[in-house]
């Protein structure tokens, strides 16, 4: 008789593994607006099923917590029940043998603290505080609230121009976002329950590519009101577009030679071809937006001058200055901020880096733009030094993968220590201190020094990409509240003691994404309109196709292809290829039309006017 044998998974085990995968997909696709108390109960029930039953706190305690939450949901709970739940959860956390009991009780305890109002609402009134509106997940997670199922349905029908018109109701940069949007809308796509999320950004690119130039809608009759907008980036131009549609006359003040802000001077051409950016800007300008170039706030113009000349003033200057490492010799020749480095390239000032070693400090999308740009400028070797792991980088995973494919070296768990310069104050290299992963704080792993010797990275150019700031001095002098490098407004974008002055975008939120700047512009434009005494509404005359009743069989997601890495590093031409029409219609056909089925029949399923 054999001592050991190879065990094959049983049929039950195989089916259970499928169940776990389905459960993962269902959790990933959990929509906004669910009752947190009910979700806690469901989570606790799953955790209780995982217990081995050895220890009493886990076997008995989790069951008692389940019953207490069920009583709350059934309207049988009391405030005494809530206190008992809290004590029970803490007791299990302190006495459970393993992570199954501890983590389950910890999540319940966090819920009692974090959404206590929901528990109290159930206890006092037998109902949930969460809204009974069930928004479409992708629309709800889009900061600009774009009608995503609607424009995908139009793409499926081949109505590309109508798709662009529908997008522009909420986002005047359909082409730009088709190239570089970070697509938060895909995170909770219900298609995840079947196979994988819809390639929403890719389909937006299809609409923009296949539609050609589409004129903006007609503006409302003129109100005679004038609005000054500081900054010609995505936030300022979006606000100008919406305010023009409402009938107000906007004037955009831009200190740089061309419009676009960081879209033009921060994002390289290989990611966002500037002729495609110009398509969106041309459409915005067709609404009658006036532009004044070469004027800088605090030097050529002041807030008070604009307040006297205009009915309202909007500050959307973005975050276009850099953060410093705080090391000696940071002013050495060859040390440059990523903002300055990419801005020069945006101005078509492209230096020859042939034979040079380039090191970039940072792990965000701007860092990836800098290293990939340096590679295209002829650098011999390009490295990234980042103090955390690749998994902790804030850059999109696709951007990190693309950088590696183009030959970029990733030096992770390396924190800048000191800058080495020659007798002419020209950088020779940078010393980095080896780090090791440490305790998790606020959901993110921290790092600490290993105690090993510093590592030397030789470089002729050091690019610092550790974050961005705004220029605040003039605004502080003008009485505008500023804290931690951000302009402080209320939730409407207004200031308490400065009527008629508003702010939005990166300068108020801190560095964020293009689509968040556009979403902020919508909010501020609507509130400026209200401040001026109006209530204009933005809508679009596009009929959405009826939802199909055909079955939705599992089908793979269509990804955008890219040019070969060895070819694309030789120029600044666009990297991504658009889908074919056949691919686009297949991908659009994967949409489950949540605007019609399930979510869409509830109030909030589709908002056709804002």
């Amino acid at each position: 008789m054999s001592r050991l044998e190879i065990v094959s998974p049983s049929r039950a085990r195989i089916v259970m593994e499928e169940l776990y995968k389905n459960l993962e997909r269902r959790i990933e696709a959990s929509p906004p607006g669910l009752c947190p108390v009910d979700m806690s109960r469901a989570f606790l029930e799953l955790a209780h099923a995982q217990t081995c039953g050895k220890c009493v706190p886990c076997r008995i305690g989790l069951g008692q917590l389940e019953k207490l939450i069920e009583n709350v949901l059934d309207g049988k709970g009391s405030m005494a029940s809530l206190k008992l739940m809290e004590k029970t959860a803490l007791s299990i956390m302190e006495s459970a043998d393993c992570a199954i009991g501890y983590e389950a009780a910890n999540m319940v305890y966090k819920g009692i603290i974090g959404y206590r109002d929901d528990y109290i609402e159930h206890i006092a009134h037998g109902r949930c505080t969460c809204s009974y509106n069930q928004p479409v997940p992708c629309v709800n997670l889009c900061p600009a609230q774009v009608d995503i199922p609607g424009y995908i349905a139009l793409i499926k029908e081949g109505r590309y121009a109508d798709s662009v018109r529908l997008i522009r109701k909420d986002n005047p940069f359909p082409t730009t976002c088709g190239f570089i949007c970070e697509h938060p809308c895909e995170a909770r796509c219900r298609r995840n329950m079947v196979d994988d999320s819809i390639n929403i950004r890719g389909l937006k690119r299809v609409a923009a590519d296949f539609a050609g130039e589409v004129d903006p809608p007609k503006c409302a009759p003129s109100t005679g009101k004038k609005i000054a907008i500081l900054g010609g980036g995505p936030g300022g131009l979006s606000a100008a577009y919406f305010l023009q549609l409402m009938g107000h006359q906007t004037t955009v003040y831009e200190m740089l030679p061309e419009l676009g802000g960081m879209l033009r001077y921060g994002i390289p051409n290989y990611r966002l071809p500037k002729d495609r950016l110009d398509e969106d800007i041309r459409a915005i300008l067709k609404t009658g937006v006036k532009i004044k170039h070469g004027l800088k706030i605090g030097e050529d113009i002041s807030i008070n001058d604009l307040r006297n000349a205009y009915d309202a003033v909007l500050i959307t200057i973005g975050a276009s200055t850099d953060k410093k490492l705080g090391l000696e010799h940071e002013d050495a020749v060859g040390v440059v901020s990523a903002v300055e480095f990419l801005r020069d390239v945006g101005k078509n000032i492209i230096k020859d880096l042939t034979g040079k070693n380039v090191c970039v400090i940072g792990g965000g999308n701007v860092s990836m733009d800098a290293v990939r740009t340096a590679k295209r400028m002829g650098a011999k070797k390009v490295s990234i030094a980042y103090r955390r792991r690749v998994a902790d980088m804030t850059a999109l995973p696709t951007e990190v993968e693309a950088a590696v494919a183009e030959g970029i070296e990733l030096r992770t768990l390396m924190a800048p220590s000191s800058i080495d310069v020659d007798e002419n104050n020209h950088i020779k290299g940078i010393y980095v201190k080896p780090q090791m992963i440490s305790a998790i704080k606020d959901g993110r792993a921290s790092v600490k020094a290993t105690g090993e010797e510093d590592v030397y990275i030789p470089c002729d150019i050091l690019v610092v990409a550790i974050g961005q700031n705004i220029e605040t001095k003039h605004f502080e002098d003008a009485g505008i509240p500023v804290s931690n490098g951000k302009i402080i407004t209320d939730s409407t974008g207004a200031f308490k003691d400065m009527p008629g002055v508003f702010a939005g975008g990166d300068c108020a939120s801190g560095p964020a994404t293009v689509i968040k700047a556009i979403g902020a512009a919508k909010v501020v434009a609507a509130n400026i309109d209200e401040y001026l005494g109006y209530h204009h509404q933005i809508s679009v005359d596009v009929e959405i196709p009826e939802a199909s009743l055909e079955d939705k069989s599992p089908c793979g997601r269509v990804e955008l292809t890219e040019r070969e890495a060895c070819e694309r590093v030789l120029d600044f031409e666009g990297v991504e290829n658009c889908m074919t029409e056949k691919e686009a219609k297949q991908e659009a056909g994967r949409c489950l039309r949540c605007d019609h089925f399930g979510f869409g029949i509830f109030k909030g399923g589709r908002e056709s006017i804002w």
Side-chain angles (χ1 to χ4, degrees):
M1 184 176 177
S2 301
R3 289 173 55 201
L4 301 174
E5 62 182 62
I6 298 171
V7 179
S8 298
S10 67
R11 186 173 180 182
R13 177 68 180 272
I14 292 170
V15 173
M16 279 300 296
E17 290 298 329
E18 281 187 36
L19 180 61
Y20 289 141
K21 289 178 182 176
N22 287 337
L23 184 60
E24 283 176 19
R25 289 201 297 264
R26 189 164 286 271
I27 291 171
E28 187 178 355
S30 292
L34 300 180
C35 171
V37 179
D38 198 21
M39 290 301 290
S40 284
R41 180 204 56 77
F43 169 78
L44 193 56
E45 193 172 341
L46 173 64
H48 196 201
Q50 293 174 322
T51 179
C52 71
K54 180 172 71 70
C55 71
V56 171
C58 198
R59 184 180 76 248
I60 305 297
L62 293 183
Q64 291 301 311
L65 270 181
E66 261 185 77
K67 288 177 184 176
L68 288 167
I69 294 179
E70 283 174 2
N71 285 342
V72 169
L73 289 168
D74 292 341
K76 301 173 185 175
S78 65
M79 292 306 294
S81 305
L82 194 57
K83 288 182 180 178
L84 181 59
M85 285 169 58
E86 194 170 338
K87 285 182 179 178
T88 304
L90 285 169
S91 176
I92 296 169
M93 287 165 61
E94 290 169 358
S95 56
D97 275 1
C98 74
I100 291 175
Y102 172 85
E103 288 297 336
N106 188 34
M107 284 305 299
V108 172
Y109 178 73
K110 283 181 178 177
I112 294 170
I113 303 302
Y115 38 84
R116 195 179 192 87
D117 289 348
D118 290 272
Y119 279 101
I120 293 172
E121 189 74 11
H122 275 289
I123 290 167
H125 304 292
R127 67 188 184 204
C128 197
T129 60
C130 75
S131 170
Y132 284 97
N133 291 357
Q134 284 286 335
V136 178
C138 57
V139 176
N140 185 261
L141 290 176
C142 173
Q145 303 282 285
V146 174
D147 186 350
I148 293 166
Y151 82 70
I152 287 177
L154 291 165
I155 289 170
K156 188 184 175 190
E157 297 288 318
R159 294 166 56 190
Y160 304 113
D162 280 346
S163 182
V164 168
R165 291 188 187 97
L166 184 60
I167 295 168
R168 280 192 185 146
K169 176 177 73 71
D170 306 284
N171 174 5
F173 284 94
T175 304
T176 298
C177 288
F179 278 88
I180 51 103
C181 185
E182 294 200 350
H183 47 83
C185 50
E186 295 180 14
R188 292 279 182 259
C189 177
R190 286 178 77 200
R191 184 74 198 202
N192 278 311
M193 295 184 188
V194 181
D195 37 52
D196 204 352
S197 60
I198 306 297
N199 190 341
I200 296 171
R201 180 179 71 84
L203 288 172
K204 191 186 279 104
R205 165 82 184 271
V206 167
D209 278 19
F210 291 11
E213 289 214 18
V214 180
D215 286 335
K218 289 184 179 178
C219 298
S222 174
T223 62
K225 301 293 184 181
K226 298 188 301 177
I227 301 153
I229 297 177
L230 295 174
L237 290 176
S238 296
Y241 175 81
F242 294 130
L243 289 165
Q244 287 290 147
L245 294 185
M246 295 172 185
H248 310 304
Q249 180 59 59
T250 60
T251 302
V252 173
Y253 288 81
E254 172 55 54
M255 67 176 184
L256 292 169
E258 293 186 75
L259 295 171
M262 294 302 283
L263 296 177
R264 186 178 301 278
Y265 296 107
I267 298 177
N269 196 78
Y270 65 82
R271 279 185 62 208
L272 175 60
K274 298 307 173 275
D275 58 332
R276 305 306 305 276
L277 168 63
D278 288 336
E279 291 175 16
D280 287 333
I281 292 175
R282 276 197 300 273
I284 292 169
L285 296 183
K286 281 181 181 178
T287 62
V289 178
K290 294 180 180 178
I291 307 296
K292 291 191 176 182
H293 286 287
L295 297 173
K296 187 173 181 179
I297 188 71
E299 293 180 9
D300 306 300
I301 44 174
S302 72
I303 288 288
N304 290 329
D305 290 341
L306 295 174
R307 290 184 72 189
N308 292 331
Y310 292 88
D311 298 292
V313 177
L314 172 59
I315 305 166
T316 56
I317 59 169
S320 56
T321 63
D322 55 277
K323 288 185 177 178
K324 304 294 185 184
L325 291 170
L327 299 178
E328 190 179 1
H329 303 306
E330 198 168 354
D331 59 349
V333 178
V335 180
V336 62
S337 74
V339 171
E340 183 184 342
F341 182 72
L342 294 171
R343 181 177 290 172
D344 282 348
V345 175
K347 292 178 178 178
N348 211 28
I349 305 171
I350 301 175
K351 297 175 183 176
D352 183 5
L353 299 184
T354 302
K356 305 279 188 183
N357 291 325
V358 178
C359 181
V360 175
I361 307 295
N365 284 323
V366 175
S367 304
M368 299 305 148
D369 287 341
V371 290
R372 297 177 70 189
T373 296
K375 188 73 175 178
R376 284 161 174 77
M377 294 166 75
K380 180 175 69 174
K381 182 179 179 181
V382 185
S383 307
I384 279 184
Y386 182 56
R387 69 192 187 98
R388 299 178 188 267
R389 304 166 299 181
V390 171
D392 303 312
M393 286 183 168
T394 56
L396 289 173
T398 51
E399 287 297 306
V400 179
E401 290 165 12
V404 171
E406 293 175 3
I408 307 304
E409 179 187 45
L410 303 183
R411 305 288 296 267
T412 55
L413 293 170
M414 297 287 181
S417 175
S418 61
I419 296 171
D420 183 29
V421 298
D422 62 18
E423 61 278 6
N424 297 317
N425 198 36
H426 195 294
I427 187 167
K428 291 168 57 182
I430 183 167
Y431 286 96
V432 290
K433 191 175 292 296
Q435 306 289 301
M436 62 181 285
I437 213 66
S438 185
I440 293 176
K441 299 175 183 176
D442 299 324
R444 192 181 188 197
S446 60
V447 292
K448 62 183 180 182
T450 63
E452 299 173 90
E453 287 187 10
D454 287 2
V455 175
Y456 186 70
I457 302 175
C459 60
D460 305 292
I461 303 289
L462 179 68
V463 181
V464 180
I466 58 170
Q468 293 155 251
N469 277 322
I470 67 166
E471 295 181 21
T472 59
K473 186 178 185 307
H474 172 73
F475 300 109
E476 289 179 285
D477 292 344
I480 291 173
V482 174
S483 176
N484 296 323
K486 294 188 293 187
I487 292 174
I488 306 301
T489 69
D490 61 23
S491 60
T492 67
F495 298 98
K496 184 178 179 181
D497 300 319
M498 296 188 77
V501 181
F502 297 78
D506 287 6
C507 65
S509 66
T513 60
V514 173
I515 194 64
K516 283 185 178 178
I518 293 167
K522 268 184 71 175
V523 170
V524 178
N527 291 324
I528 290 174
D529 185 59
E530 294 285 329
Y531 166 76
L532 294 174
Y534 299 89
H535 188 73
H536 291 100
Q537 293 181 316
I538 303 292
S539 62
V540 63
D541 185 21
V542 172
E543 186 177 344
I544 310 298
E546 290 292 323
S548 169
L549 297 177
E550 64 188 12
D551 290 339
K552 300 289 186 182
S553 303
C555 177
R557 166 182 161 123
V558 176
E559 300 286 3
L560 298 184
T561 61
E562 295 183 341
R563 295 165 59 205
E564 290 291 335
C566 59
E567 172 192 326
R568 70 195 191 211
V569 295
L570 302 176
D571 58 47
F572 281 89
E573 297 304 310
V575 165
E576 276 189 333
N577 303 313
C578 188
M579 294 180 197
T580 64
E581 191 164 18
K582 187 175 181 180
E583 287 175 323
K585 290 189 175 181
Q586 175 180 297
E587 187 64 13
R590 293 177 65 236
C591 179
L592 298 178
R593 289 302 300 273
C594 302
D595 59 322
H596 176 82
F597 298 109
F599 295 94
I601 63 173
F602 290 103
K603 181 182 176 184
R606 164 164 283 117
E607 299 292 343
S608 57
I609 296 174
W610 66 269

